[in-house]
Amino acid sequence: MHRIFRRGFLVAVACGGLVPSPELGGRELPPAAAFTKPVECGAIKLRPDGGAVAIIGVRDYIDYLSVVDLATMQLTYSQGFRNGEIDNFWWKGPDRIVILARSNLGYLFFKLMDLRGEKNPPESQVGRTVSILDPLPADPDNMIIMDGMMNVARFNFRTGKSERIEKHQDGVDRWILGENGTAAAAFGWGDGTWFMLTRASRNQDWHRVSLGTRSSPDFWPVAMAADQRRIVGWDQVSHDTAQVVIRDPATGRDEPILHAEDVDPSQNLFFGDRQIRLRGVIYETDRPHAKYFQREDAALADSIDRALPGTFNEIVSLSADENRVVIERSSDATPPAFYLLDRAAHRLVPLGSSRPGLDPQQLATARFIPFTARDGLPLTARILLPPNAGAPPPLLVAAVGRLGTRTSASFQPYLQLLASRGYAILGVNHRGVSGFGQKVAHEGIEQVDGRMADDLADAVDAVIKTGWVDRTRVAIMGEDEAGILAVYALARHPALFSAWINVNTPMEVGVLDPAALAFGQEERIGLNLPAAEEFKLRRYSNQLNPAEQLKEVRIASFHYYDRRVDGALLYSGDRAQKAMARTGLPLTFLTAPYPSHWSNDTATYRRQRFEEDTRLYAEVLKFLGRQFPTPDNQTGERVAPGTP
């Protein structure tokens, strides 16, 4: 089944002039730019008849929509977009594609592209909150959308107008359609509660059911079941994590489909563009898994996994007859790459890679590490181990992003860049992160400066016991919100770390929104916290003072701050610089060279961001090279640790 021939790579020309990856096993390291540049191939979708693919690629920092004929492997259409970025796109018959793009000014618009060369209709702005409910691939002129007023509407590309077919219901933020394209259920938040709307038939009134008042609903509806009567969704409360169930809205009874013991299911599998038939779900433990509802889908996935072993393989597009399938292949050490499966011909062909210059054999692979915190709480961590490491490498603990975000088995280019230069990278699923049950989540409340910071130290101890890393060379990197956690880990465990990398960590008193410190069912994203809970967390937030902790830091440090219009992060950077300068310790401090937001021109913005990220990580590697020299760190002089 796994037969690959060279002309398949011609499709990659549409993704930015790509060429086949170099032969595996070379020792020359890929340049930093291969990790920091924009992805060259972001999405591939099959034409409904399976005879061509449409591709979104980036060339010269501009999004291009291109079409490749699969019979000839020739590029038949290519159009660049200089005034925005493409959010998504859909085939509308054999010779039309509609894109949903975001302009440089931030608004969304539709644009219908006629591949025959006829004059395209004008762009159609439909509001900042629009979503596509059903692309209607068999209808060349219409789509079902949720318009800017939250109405279900039929949008006509020829006229540029929409016709309301279902009136907005107060509080609804998502509609669920049936196979006939009509609204079958709705979901939202209003009057202090989550709720779901259902009705027995199109002509009957909506029936409202409460789904709880906590941060997450008791039941999260996703799609209609195959019988077009029941609803598939997440049951958030019956287990410590979550389960997938099919709920009968008439009786409230649930049919369990899947319960993920370790990590919540997190992604829905629809296979194609019509978000009508849910084919399965993805959940992650030590690695991603897929649970398919139908036996034939599971059999297809098994055959794909046998042909593409060692990676997570997801079906992202398929022809109307499901004979041709586009597969996205990825792992922690494999950048997303696309393949075409012809089921009738039993042939699998590579189409293109998001980062073709990266050789998986030169990238780090991940290991999943269960460990127990000092108070007995079971936790986990994920470590990237550099390839071909001889002696145990230095360890870099990465506390980045939001405080409640768990580590992921997905490909992370910036961490892979550091690992490729000889550093082991550790991500910790500390208390407070999502996906490991309410006990783990709730244990993180008001613990950023306490047990949550201790979890990072306990994870380091667990890794050191494996013998995989050099216990004498441990650094920590904190970025954005999670950078505050890194500061407190440094303050509470000063003997553990020998270097610190700080990127955009807020340093002001009360910098965190109270919602950022609420975890599990108490977490509110986009919603107001109850007054008593908000007051409690705001009081805790106001006593957090990262800058005050810096006087306890006695190690070399690197700091980077990106300027913002409101100046908040730059001011935090000023405090960090002054506090660290008073210690007299080795200090590297950088700020972005631009005085405000990046350029409103998409190509200019992407180029500036790429150049700045390349500069940032080059300086990070120089800093690490001075503190912890490795054979693969090819930037900076090899000097003794501690030398500024």
Side-chain angles (χ1 to χ4, degrees):
M1 176 180 172
H2 191 194
R3 176 182 165 198
I4 297 177
F5 50 90
R6 184 177 177 84
R7 68 174 182 162
F9 282 102
L10 291 177
V11 178
V13 173
C15 293
L18 313 186
V19 296
S21 298
E23 290 188 12
L24 303 181
R27 283 299 301 147
E28 184 177 351
L29 296 179
F35 297 89
T36 58
K37 67 181 179 181
V39 296
E40 296 189 8
C41 190
I44 298 180
K45 293 186 180 183
L46 277 160
R47 197 169 65 192
D49 64 6
V53 289
I55 304 169
I56 297 298
V58 177
R59 300 203 302 269
D60 299 325
Y61 306 104
I62 298 173
D63 280 348
Y64 274 81
L65 172 67
S66 303
V67 176
V68 174
D69 185 283
L70 293 177
T72 64
M73 288 294 178
Q74 297 299 311
L75 189 70
T76 62
Y77 179 88
S78 188
Q79 175 69 53
F81 297 87
R82 294 183 174 275
N83 60 339
E85 298 183 48
I86 299 176
D87 273 16
N88 207 342
F89 68 102
W90 300 265
W91 280 96
K92 298 294 292 178
D95 47 28
R96 286 183 166 191
I97 295 175
V98 63
I99 66 166
L100 177 64
R102 188 174 304 276
S103 77
N104 294 325
L105 299 178
Y107 66 83
L108 293 171
F109 64 88
F110 287 120
K111 189 172 182 63
L112 185 66
M113 314 303 297
D114 193 312
L115 308 183
R116 299 167 299 184
E118 296 184 4
K119 185 177 180 180
N120 293 315
E123 298 171 358
S124 300
Q125 182 181 349
V126 287
R128 295 177 185 271
T129 57
V130 68
S131 62
I132 309 304
L133 301 180
D134 191 344
L136 299 178
D139 185 339
D141 294 327
N142 296 286
M143 295 178 77
I144 306 298
I145 68 170
M146 184 169 72
D147 66 18
M149 300 301 294
M150 305 295 182
N151 302 308
V152 180
R154 185 180 301 274
F155 183 84
N156 185 279
F157 294 104
R158 292 189 180 275
T159 66
K161 297 180 180 179
S162 59
E163 175 189 2
R164 191 183 72 192
I165 58 179
E166 190 65 56
K167 185 179 178 181
H168 163 63
Q169 303 286 326
D170 288 342
V172 167
D173 59 18
R174 189 160 59 85
W175 293 90
I176 298 174
L177 302 190
E179 288 184 351
N180 58 4
T182 60
F187 169 68
W189 168 273
D191 298 327
T193 183
W194 294 100
F195 66 88
M196 180 173 64
L197 300 178
T198 60
R199 58 185 177 188
S201 68
R202 185 174 181 180
N203 296 325
Q204 290 187 345
D205 293 335
W206 290 102
H207 175 61
R208 182 182 177 115
V209 178
S210 174
L211 300 177
T213 60
R214 290 178 289 189
S215 65
S216 298
D218 299 342
F219 174 74
W220 193 295
V222 174
M224 297 301 295
D227 60 15
Q228 293 295 291
R229 183 179 60 84
R230 296 179 298 165
I231 300 172
V232 184
W234 314 111
D235 175 356
Q236 307 271 60
V237 296
S238 296
H239 292 263
D240 193 33
T241 53
Q243 66 174 345
V244 182
V245 300
I246 299 179
R247 174 165 294 187
D248 188 335
T251 64
R253 294 178 180 174
D254 292 338
E255 175 190 345
I257 300 297
L258 168 70
H259 174 222
E261 295 288 349
D262 298 316
V263 181
D264 291 347
S266 58
Q267 185 177 345
N268 304 310
L269 284 169
F270 285 99
F271 283 9
D273 284 329
R274 293 197 76 194
Q275 308 288 286
I276 302 300
R277 180 186 172 192
L278 186 66
R279 313 290 283 258
V281 295
I282 297 172
Y283 64 101
E284 188 174 302
T285 55
D286 58 328
R287 58 186 176 84
H289 308 267
K291 167 69 175 179
Y292 299 94
F293 299 155
Q294 302 299 323
R295 184 175 301 173
E296 59 270 22
D297 291 342
L300 172 60
D302 286 343
S303 67
I304 293 171
D305 289 343
R306 287 194 298 270
L308 299 173
T311 52
F312 183 70
N313 308 307
E314 183 178 354
I315 294 173
V316 294
S317 182
L318 68 175
S319 58
D321 61 6
E322 302 196 2
N323 184 54
R324 285 189 166 182
V325 178
V326 172
I327 302 155
E328 182 177 339
R329 180 190 197 190
S330 65
S331 74
D332 42 56
T334 305
F338 298 92
Y339 289 74
L340 174 67
L341 169 64
D342 189 320
R343 300 173 71 181
H346 301 286
R347 186 171 61 194
L348 190 63
V349 180
L351 295 178
S353 172
S354 61
R355 297 184 182 276
L358 297 181
D359 175 356
Q361 289 193 7
Q362 294 178 315
L363 300 176
T365 55
R367 297 194 184 185
F368 198 67
I369 307 169
F371 71 97
T372 302
R374 62 192 62 196
D375 63 349
L377 186 68
L379 298 170
T380 61
R382 189 183 304 275
I383 188 170
L384 291 173
L385 293 173
N388 305 315
L395 177 66
L396 178 60
V397 181
V400 299
R402 291 182 59 245
L403 285 168
T405 303
R406 64 176 181 254
T407 65
S408 173
S410 62
F411 185 80
Q412 301 179 71
Y414 296 100
L415 298 184
Q416 281 284 354
L417 168 59
L418 297 174
S420 72
R421 267 53 182 178
Y423 302 99
I425 312 297
L426 180 67
V428 182
N429 290 317
H430 50 73
R431 67 193 68 214
V433 304
S434 62
F436 295 92
Q438 296 305 311
K439 177 176 175 55
V440 171
H442 286 155
E443 286 289 331
I445 296 176
E446 300 186 9
Q447 290 297 324
V448 175
D449 58 343
R451 290 179 177 175
M452 189 183 291
D454 293 342
D455 293 342
L456 270 60
D458 293 340
V460 172
D461 288 340
V463 174
I464 288 174
K465 290 177 182 177
T466 66
W468 294 340
V469 300
D470 185 344
R471 65 183 308 146
T472 66
R473 299 191 294 171
V474 181
I476 191 167
M477 179 172 69
E479 183 175 351
D480 295 331
E481 183 180 291
I484 296 178
L485 179 59
V487 171
Y488 281 100
L490 283 167
R492 292 174 68 86
H493 305 279
L496 186 61
F497 302 100
S498 303
W500 172 34
I501 298 170
N502 162 32
V503 179
N504 285 335
T505 297
M507 290 293 174
E508 308 310 308
V509 175
V511 291
L512 289 179
D513 187 287
L517 299 167
F519 305 106
Q521 292 273 347
E522 279 34 355
E523 182 184 9
R524 300 295 177 98
I525 300 176
L527 304 173
N528 292 324
L529 288 164
E533 186 178 337
E534 180 176 356
F535 176 78
K536 179 183 177 184
L537 291 175
R538 189 172 296 281
R539 182 176 58 186
Y540 175 75
S541 174
N542 286 338
Q543 62 89 26
L544 292 175
N545 191 349
E548 186 66 20
Q549 308 302 314
L550 299 186
K551 62 184 181 182
E552 305 297 330
V553 177
R554 290 293 180 268
I555 56 177
S557 60
F558 174 95
H559 305 264
Y560 176 89
Y561 281 88
D562 187 357
R563 297 170 185 253
R564 304 290 172 89
V565 169
D566 58 12
L569 283 179
L570 184 60
Y571 180 50
S572 292
D574 289 344
R575 289 198 66 181
Q577 188 173 19
K578 291 176 181 177
M580 290 304 298
R582 287 195 293 267
T583 67
L585 294 167
L587 171 68
T588 301
F589 197 93
L590 295 178
T591 57
Y594 306 104
S596 61
H597 285 308
W598 308 96
S599 169
N600 285 329
D601 176 75
T602 302
T604 302
Y605 167 83
R606 281 178 169 166
R607 178 182 55 78
Q608 290 176 341
R609 185 74 267 177
F610 160 69
E611 291 174 349
E612 187 60 14
D613 284 352
T614 302
R615 180 178 82 107
L616 166 61
Y617 280 88
E619 294 299 324
V620 166
L621 286 168
K622 287 180 182 179
F623 171 78
L624 286 173
R626 290 193 294 268
Q627 311 308 317
F628 306 143
T630 71
D632 289 327
N633 192 338
Q634 298 178 353
T635 59
E637 280 186 72
R638 309 286 166 77
V639 294
T643 303

